[in-house]
């Protein structure tokens, strides 16, 4: 059974770009539903997977669309929460240098990010990636598609392009949402850690492991 990870900040920490109300719906309803359905499908199949990553890869291989969509959305949302912070920082060090060389600086990255996200048709995700054997790039994926299925890159940050991510706060103006998001919310420390890990320094982010009956007992025993 996978647990719904808690947000790494308070529900109102990302205001005004992302309101308390949006985060309650987005995390407590949308994300929770993906986790719940993933668990139900695994239970029905009698599966006890080691990790959410293995569920996604196997569901993709076996063509189990429903399981893939729910498990990948659970993963993407957990990664998305980590991709944001309330600190309003700028990228520094090696990551800043990589942004300079790929986009000519943070403002160039912002322009490309807003263009990519606003131009993406329908639901999905916009990712800042490190291309293996290359530099930084922006990519968008459709619906539940995630970066685990793309072995030629490592994700550094993601922003949710589904309407539920911005409709309450920005209505239909995805472009305004992306612009405000980029100025205030990217977790550059997280992106820098992913960037270093992709080059063998440190560990890449992984989804929290499933909660087993045994670890549940340990937790409740305190
Ligand atoms: Fe979402």
């Amino acid at each position: 059974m996978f647990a719904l990870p808690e947000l790494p900040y308070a529900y109102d920490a990302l205001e005004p770009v992302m309101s308390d109300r949006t985060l309650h719906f987005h995390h407590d309803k949308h994300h929770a539903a993906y986790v719940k359905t993933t668990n139900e499908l695994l239970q029905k199949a009698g599966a006890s997977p080691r990790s959410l990553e293995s569920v996604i890869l196997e569901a993709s291989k076996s063509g189990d669309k429903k399981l893939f969509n729910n498990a990948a959305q659970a993963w993407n949302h957990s990664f998305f929460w980590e991709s944001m912070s309330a600190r309003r920082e700028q990228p520094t060090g090696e990551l800043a240098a990589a942004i300079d060389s790929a986009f000519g600086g943070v403002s160039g990255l912002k322009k490309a990010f807003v263009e990519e996200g606003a131009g993406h048709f329908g639901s999905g995700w916009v990712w800042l990636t490190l291309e293996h054997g290359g530099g930084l790039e922006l990519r968008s994926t459709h619906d539940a598609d995630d970066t685990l299925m793309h072995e030629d890159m490592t994700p550094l940050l993601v922003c949710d392009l589904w309407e539920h991510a911005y409709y309450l706060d920005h209505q239909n103006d995805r472009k305004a949402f992306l612009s405000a998001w980029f100025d205030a919310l990217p977790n550059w420390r997280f992106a820098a850690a992913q960037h270093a890990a992709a080059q063998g320094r440190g560990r890449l982010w992984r989804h929290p492991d499933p909660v087993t009956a045994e670890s549940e007992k340990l937790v409740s025993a305190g």
Side-chain angles (χ1 to χ4, degrees), residues 1-218:
M1 296 284 279
F2 291 95
L4 173 66
E6 283 188 22
L7 289 179
Y9 27 71
Y11 283 91
D12 63 358
L14 308 183
E15 291 195 335
V17 179
M18 218 174 263
S19 64
D20 174 281
R21 190 156 174 256
T22 287
L23 276 190
H24 272 290
F25 275 106
H26 201 168
H27 175 267
D28 306 355
K29 307 281 185 211
H30 290 280
H31 187 183
Y34 294 127
V35 174
K36 182 168 177 270
T37 307
T38 299
N39 284 332
E40 285 168 358
L41 293 170
L42 290 169
Q43 223 159 13
K44 224 190 274 175
S48 45
R50 286 170 295 111
S51 67
L52 189 60
E53 286 80 1
S54 69
V55 173
I56 295 166
L57 294 172
E58 275 162 37
S60 164
K61 228 190 284 168
S62 69
D64 187 340
K65 272 238 152 107
K66 192 169 180 196
L67 180 58
F68 174 83
N69 283 337
N70 282 279
Q73 282 297 80
W75 197 98
N76 290 348
H77 280 92
S78 295
F79 192 88
F80 177 51
W81 308 134
E82 299 298 330
S83 294
M84 298 186 285
S85 94
R87 289 188 304 258
R88 270 189 182 261
E89 289 172 337
Q90 291 293 310
T92 56
E94 209 176 272
L95 178 62
I99 290 171
D100 285 348
S101 90
F103 301 99
V106 174
S107 59
L109 169 58
K110 178 183 173 180
K111 190 167 173 274
F113 169 85
V114 172
E115 258 168 35
E116 181 71 33
H120 180 85
F121 187 80
S123 296
W125 302 84
V126 58
W127 308 80
L128 176 64
T129 65
L130 176 64
E131 302 295 309
H132 298 167
L136 301 187
E137 244 180 53
L138 285 165
R139 292 201 194 194
S140 52
T141 59
H142 279 281
D143 302 328
D145 189 17
D146 66 31
T147 49
L148 291 177
M149 308 318 304
H150 303 274
E151 287 172 355
D152 51 346
M153 51 118 139
T154 299
L156 308 186
L157 281 182
V158 75
C159 183
D160 192 334
L161 298 175
W162 289 57
E163 282 186 350
H164 63 230
Y166 59 88
Y167 214 87
L168 290 176
D169 302 318
H170 306 271
Q171 284 71 57
N172 60 328
D173 199 345
R174 185 191 281 180
K175 203 170 178 182
F177 161 64
L178 290 167
S179 175
W181 189 92
F182 189 93
D183 288 340
L185 298 185
N187 185 348
W188 295 115
R189 287 187 211 181
F190 177 72
Q194 285 287 102
H195 186 248
Q199 297 165 85
R201 299 189 311 277
R203 297 180 70 174
L204 286 173
W205 182 86
R206 284 187 57 243
H207 191 277
D209 282 335
V211 184
T212 61
E214 221 164 86
S215 58
E216 268 168 12
K217 260 185 246 158
L218 283 174

